[in-house]
Amino acid sequence: QVHLVESGGGLVQAGGSLRLSCSASRRAFTEHAVAWFRQAPGQEREFVSSISRSGSGTYFAKSVQGRFTISRDNDKITVYLQMNRLTPEDTAVYYCASKRTILTASPPAEAGSYDYWGQGTQVTVSS
């Protein structure tokens, strides 16, 4: 069992930046692909970004491409989501999720593919 905890959310003005962190409870996390999803009120949970187990593969939704970056620090068993040029449309609860994968696997974009989830962190972008 791996427990995930997100942090770094908050209130920011449009155009600002936030960095979210997803910290894991066990080093087994280093064998996991990790993804970020978000859910705005009244909307479906949507894929934001993912990173492969090795960290060499990163993927982004079109809506955040060029503004968000994802990285991982396996020594700290933490994955980061750097969010720049935020807009009110980015307002949502952000969740990290993980699943154990083989080293060469690309992380899936479907929420149902992930086994472990954090509790979420609220990101609010004011106009």
Side-chain angles (χ1 to χ4, degrees), residues 79-97:
V79 167
Y80 303 99
L81 183 69
Q82 178 67 43
M83 307 186 296
N84 299 325
R85 303 200 309 275
L86 286 161
T87 74
E89 288 68 37
D90 296 314
T91 295
V93 178
Y94 284 70
Y95 300 90
C96 68

Side-chain angles (χ1 to χ4, degrees), residues 19-22 29 34-36 49-60 68-74 77-82:
R19 187 177 80 159
L20 305 184
S21 299
C22 174
F29 188 66
V34 180
W36 288 92
S49 179
S50 62
I51 187 166
S52 64
R53 168 178 162 176
S54 68
S56 61
T58 59
Y59 306 85
F60 300 91
F68 291 13
T69 59
I70 188 171
S71 61
R72 68 189 302 160
D73 184 337
N74 282 342
I77 49 175
T78 299
V79 167
Y80 303 99
L81 183 69
Q82 178 67 43

